[in-house]
mmCIF file of all heavy atoms in Angstrom:
data_model
loop_
_atom_site.group_PDB
_atom_site.id
_atom_site.type_symbol
_atom_site.label_atom_id
_atom_site.label_comp_id
_atom_site.label_asym_id
_atom_site.label_seq_id
_atom_site.Cartn_x
_atom_site.Cartn_y
_atom_site.Cartn_z
ATOM 1 N N PHE A 1 110.056 -31.497 8.596
ATOM 2 C CA PHE A 1 109.807 -32.911 8.853
ATOM 3 C C PHE A 1 111.069 -33.633 9.190
ATOM 4 O O PHE A 1 111.172 -34.457 10.062
ATOM 5 C CB PHE A 1 109.137 -33.559 7.619
ATOM 6 C CG PHE A 1 108.510 -34.879 7.787
ATOM 7 C CD1 PHE A 1 107.195 -35.023 8.264
ATOM 8 C CD2 PHE A 1 109.217 -36.032 7.515
ATOM 9 C CE1 PHE A 1 106.598 -36.293 8.373
ATOM 10 C CE2 PHE A 1 108.559 -37.258 7.685
ATOM 11 C CZ PHE A 1 107.269 -37.356 8.092
ATOM 12 N N GLN A 2 112.141 -33.433 8.394
ATOM 13 C CA GLN A 2 113.402 -34.096 8.604
ATOM 14 C C GLN A 2 114.069 -33.637 9.863
ATOM 15 O O GLN A 2 114.657 -34.430 10.622
ATOM 16 C CB GLN A 2 114.369 -33.862 7.398
ATOM 17 C CG GLN A 2 115.560 -34.755 7.357
ATOM 18 C CD GLN A 2 115.194 -36.248 7.319
ATOM 19 O OE1 GLN A 2 114.399 -36.639 6.436
ATOM 20 N NE2 GLN A 2 115.685 -37.029 8.269
ATOM 21 N N GLN A 3 113.996 -32.268 10.185
ATOM 22 C CA GLN A 3 114.649 -31.792 11.451
ATOM 23 C C GLN A 3 113.959 -32.442 12.637
ATOM 24 O O GLN A 3 114.663 -32.884 13.570
ATOM 25 C CB GLN A 3 114.426 -30.320 11.571
ATOM 26 C CG GLN A 3 115.418 -29.502 10.687
ATOM 27 C CD GLN A 3 115.120 -27.996 10.736
ATOM 28 O OE1 GLN A 3 113.984 -27.523 10.437
ATOM 29 N NE2 GLN A 3 116.091 -27.280 11.213
ATOM 30 N N PHE A 4 112.632 -32.646 12.562
ATOM 31 C CA PHE A 4 111.894 -33.253 13.637
ATOM 32 C C PHE A 4 112.349 -34.711 13.827
ATOM 33 O O PHE A 4 112.643 -35.133 14.920
ATOM 34 C CB PHE A 4 110.402 -33.221 13.320
ATOM 35 C CG PHE A 4 109.512 -33.803 14.400
ATOM 36 C CD1 PHE A 4 109.326 -33.259 15.591
ATOM 37 C CD2 PHE A 4 108.873 -34.980 14.136
ATOM 38 C CE1 PHE A 4 108.526 -33.803 16.583
ATOM 39 C CE2 PHE A 4 108.022 -35.618 15.016
ATOM 40 C CZ PHE A 4 107.824 -34.973 16.340
ATOM 41 N N ALA A 5 112.430 -35.466 12.715
ATOM 42 C CA ALA A 5 112.846 -36.858 12.772
ATOM 43 C C ALA A 5 114.299 -36.944 13.283
ATOM 44 O O ALA A 5 114.569 -37.771 14.123
ATOM 45 C CB ALA A 5 112.690 -37.500 11.399
ATOM 46 N N ASP A 6 115.225 -36.098 12.686
ATOM 47 C CA ASP A 6 116.603 -36.171 13.100
ATOM 48 C C ASP A 6 116.783 -35.814 14.571
ATOM 49 O O ASP A 6 117.763 -36.330 15.218
ATOM 50 C CB ASP A 6 117.429 -35.202 12.235
ATOM 51 C CG ASP A 6 117.565 -35.645 10.782
ATOM 52 O OD1 ASP A 6 117.155 -36.812 10.484
ATOM 53 O OD2 ASP A 6 117.938 -34.819 9.939
ATOM 54 N N GLY A 7 115.903 -34.978 15.134
ATOM 55 C CA GLY A 7 116.034 -34.682 16.591
ATOM 56 C C GLY A 7 115.375 -35.653 17.560
ATOM 57 O O GLY A 7 115.356 -35.430 18.661
ATOM 58 N N GLY A 8 114.872 -36.800 16.962
ATOM 59 C CA GLY A 8 114.294 -37.781 17.813
ATOM 60 C C GLY A 8 112.792 -37.638 17.983
ATOM 61 O O GLY A 8 112.188 -38.406 18.742
ATOM 62 N N GLY A 9 112.165 -36.714 17.276
ATOM 63 C CA GLY A 9 110.717 -36.543 17.370
ATOM 64 C C GLY A 9 110.000 -37.798 16.757
ATOM 65 O O GLY A 9 110.485 -38.412 15.810
ATOM 66 N N GLU A 10 108.874 -38.113 17.421
ATOM 67 C CA GLU A 10 108.074 -39.291 16.944
ATOM 68 C C GLU A 10 106.692 -38.901 16.466
ATOM 69 O O GLU A 10 106.112 -38.008 17.105
ATOM 70 C CB GLU A 10 107.973 -40.322 18.108
ATOM 71 C CG GLU A 10 109.286 -40.885 18.546
ATOM 72 C CD GLU A 10 109.073 -41.967 19.649
ATOM 73 O OE1 GLU A 10 108.081 -42.719 19.532
ATOM 74 O OE2 GLU A 10 109.936 -42.056 20.503
ATOM 75 N N LEU A 11 106.249 -39.477 15.468
ATOM 76 C CA LEU A 11 104.916 -39.377 14.936
ATOM 77 C C LEU A 11 104.086 -40.587 15.406
ATOM 78 O O LEU A 11 104.509 -41.731 15.119
ATOM 79 C CB LEU A 11 104.874 -39.311 13.427
ATOM 80 C CG LEU A 11 105.678 -38.225 12.783
ATOM 81 C CD1 LEU A 11 105.635 -38.423 11.248
ATOM 82 C CD2 LEU A 11 105.114 -36.855 13.116
ATOM 83 N N TRP A 12 103.019 -40.306 16.188
ATOM 84 C CA TRP A 12 102.190 -41.410 16.641
ATOM 85 C C TRP A 12 100.842 -41.275 15.871
ATOM 86 O O TRP A 12 100.236 -40.201 15.996
ATOM 87 C CB TRP A 12 101.972 -41.381 18.189
ATOM 88 C CG TRP A 12 103.178 -41.765 18.974
ATOM 89 C CD1 TRP A 12 104.479 -42.019 18.495
ATOM 90 C CD2 TRP A 12 103.292 -41.974 20.368
ATOM 91 N NE1 TRP A 12 105.292 -42.347 19.531
ATOM 92 C CE2 TRP A 12 104.640 -42.345 20.673
ATOM 93 C CE3 TRP A 12 102.314 -41.843 21.375
ATOM 94 C CZ2 TRP A 12 105.024 -42.552 21.978
ATOM 95 C CZ3 TRP A 12 102.703 -42.101 22.658
ATOM 96 C CH2 TRP A 12 104.027 -42.462 22.955
ATOM 97 N N LEU A 13 100.486 -42.293 15.202
ATOM 98 C CA LEU A 13 99.294 -42.213 14.396
ATOM 99 C C LEU A 13 98.164 -42.958 15.042
ATOM 100 O O LEU A 13 98.262 -44.147 15.490
ATOM 101 C CB LEU A 13 99.564 -42.939 13.006
ATOM 102 C CG LEU A 13 100.884 -42.579 12.292
ATOM 103 C CD1 LEU A 13 101.034 -43.318 10.985
ATOM 104 C CD2 LEU A 13 100.955 -41.094 12.062
ATOM 105 N N CYS A 14 97.018 -42.256 15.114
ATOM 106 C CA CYS A 14 95.801 -42.851 15.753
ATOM 107 C C CYS A 14 95.420 -44.090 14.952
ATOM 108 O O CYS A 14 95.196 -44.081 13.746
ATOM 109 C CB CYS A 14 94.713 -41.779 15.714
ATOM 110 S SG CYS A 14 93.091 -42.469 16.033
ATOM 111 N N PRO A 15 95.300 -45.245 15.640
ATOM 112 C CA PRO A 15 94.965 -46.492 14.899
ATOM 113 C C PRO A 15 93.578 -46.473 14.271
ATOM 114 O O PRO A 15 93.402 -46.994 13.160
ATOM 115 C CB PRO A 15 95.135 -47.572 15.962
ATOM 116 C CG PRO A 15 95.118 -46.886 17.286
ATOM 117 C CD PRO A 15 95.553 -45.513 17.064
ATOM 118 N N ILE A 16 92.611 -45.910 14.936
ATOM 119 C CA ILE A 16 91.255 -45.862 14.335
ATOM 120 C C ILE A 16 91.287 -44.986 13.102
ATOM 121 O O ILE A 16 90.658 -45.325 12.090
ATOM 122 C CB ILE A 16 90.267 -45.332 15.411
ATOM 123 C CG1 ILE A 16 90.160 -46.365 16.532
ATOM 124 C CG2 ILE A 16 88.912 -45.054 14.818
ATOM 125 C CD1 ILE A 16 89.412 -45.922 17.732
ATOM 126 N N CYS A 17 91.985 -43.847 13.150
ATOM 127 C CA CYS A 17 92.052 -42.998 11.991
ATOM 128 C C CYS A 17 92.771 -43.576 10.830
ATOM 129 O O CYS A 17 92.360 -43.456 9.668
ATOM 130 C CB CYS A 17 92.740 -41.645 12.425
ATOM 131 S SG CYS A 17 91.980 -40.875 13.778
ATOM 132 N N VAL A 18 93.846 -44.330 11.123
ATOM 133 C CA VAL A 18 94.580 -45.028 10.048
ATOM 134 C C VAL A 18 93.680 -46.042 9.415
ATOM 135 O O VAL A 18 93.553 -46.130 8.167
ATOM 136 C CB VAL A 18 95.840 -45.700 10.620
ATOM 137 C CG1 VAL A 18 96.440 -46.664 9.607
ATOM 138 C CG2 VAL A 18 96.884 -44.651 10.995
ATOM 139 N N LYS A 19 92.991 -46.850 10.239
ATOM 140 C CA LYS A 19 92.108 -47.884 9.738
ATOM 141 C C LYS A 19 90.958 -47.387 8.914
ATOM 142 O O LYS A 19 90.641 -47.847 7.879
ATOM 143 C CB LYS A 19 91.603 -48.788 10.825
ATOM 144 C CG LYS A 19 90.762 -49.957 10.366
ATOM 145 C CD LYS A 19 90.429 -50.892 11.539
ATOM 146 C CE LYS A 19 89.623 -52.026 10.938
ATOM 147 N NZ LYS A 19 89.344 -52.989 11.974
ATOM 148 N N SER A 20 90.323 -46.285 9.404
ATOM 149 C CA SER A 20 89.178 -45.722 8.722
ATOM 150 C C SER A 20 89.504 -45.099 7.413
ATOM 151 O O SER A 20 88.667 -44.978 6.506
ATOM 152 C CB SER A 20 88.428 -44.674 9.631
ATOM 153 O OG SER A 20 89.227 -43.515 9.750
ATOM 154 N N ARG A 21 90.828 -44.798 7.173
ATOM 155 C CA ARG A 21 91.274 -44.241 5.895
ATOM 156 C C ARG A 21 91.980 -45.282 5.055
ATOM 157 O O ARG A 21 92.455 -44.999 3.993
ATOM 158 C CB ARG A 21 92.178 -43.090 6.139
ATOM 159 C CG ARG A 21 91.383 -41.829 6.555
ATOM 160 C CD ARG A 21 92.188 -40.856 7.387
ATOM 161 N NE ARG A 21 91.392 -39.723 7.771
ATOM 162 C CZ ARG A 21 90.519 -39.758 8.802
ATOM 163 N NH1 ARG A 21 90.407 -40.818 9.590
ATOM 164 N NH2 ARG A 21 89.801 -38.665 9.118
ATOM 165 N N SER A 22 91.900 -46.540 5.480
ATOM 166 C CA SER A 22 92.449 -47.667 4.739
ATOM 167 C C SER A 22 93.898 -47.379 4.327
ATOM 168 O O SER A 22 94.319 -47.784 3.236
ATOM 169 C CB SER A 22 91.637 -48.014 3.484
ATOM 170 O OG SER A 22 90.344 -48.314 3.846
ATOM 171 N N LEU A 23 94.702 -46.842 5.224
ATOM 172 C CA LEU A 23 96.113 -46.627 5.009
ATOM 173 C C LEU A 23 96.921 -47.891 5.220
ATOM 174 O O LEU A 23 96.583 -48.647 6.079
ATOM 175 C CB LEU A 23 96.625 -45.462 5.784
ATOM 176 C CG LEU A 23 95.899 -44.109 5.705
ATOM 177 C CD1 LEU A 23 96.582 -43.072 6.590
ATOM 178 C CD2 LEU A 23 95.935 -43.654 4.270
ATOM 179 N N ASP A 24 98.007 -48.032 4.523
ATOM 180 C CA ASP A 24 98.870 -49.153 4.659
ATOM 181 C C ASP A 24 99.814 -48.928 5.854
ATOM 182 O O ASP A 24 100.748 -48.100 5.787
ATOM 183 C CB ASP A 24 99.722 -49.339 3.359
ATOM 184 C CG ASP A 24 100.598 -50.503 3.437
ATOM 185 O OD1 ASP A 24 100.789 -51.240 4.481
ATOM 186 O OD2 ASP A 24 101.281 -50.793 2.414
#
């Protein structure tokens, strides 16, 4: 996870999936 972030990798989260799981 840290290697991915340090290398410039991005996590894109599906907005519908985030909302349907009531994530902050």
Side-chain angles (χ1 to χ4, degrees):
F1 194 88
Q2 193 60 53
Q3 284 177 300
F4 180 71
D6 291 348
E10 296 183 36
L11 301 173
W12 288 8
L13 314 179
C14 166
I16 294 169
C17 303
V18 168
K19 184 175 182 174
S20 70
R21 285 156 181 79
S22 302
L23 301 180
D24 182 358

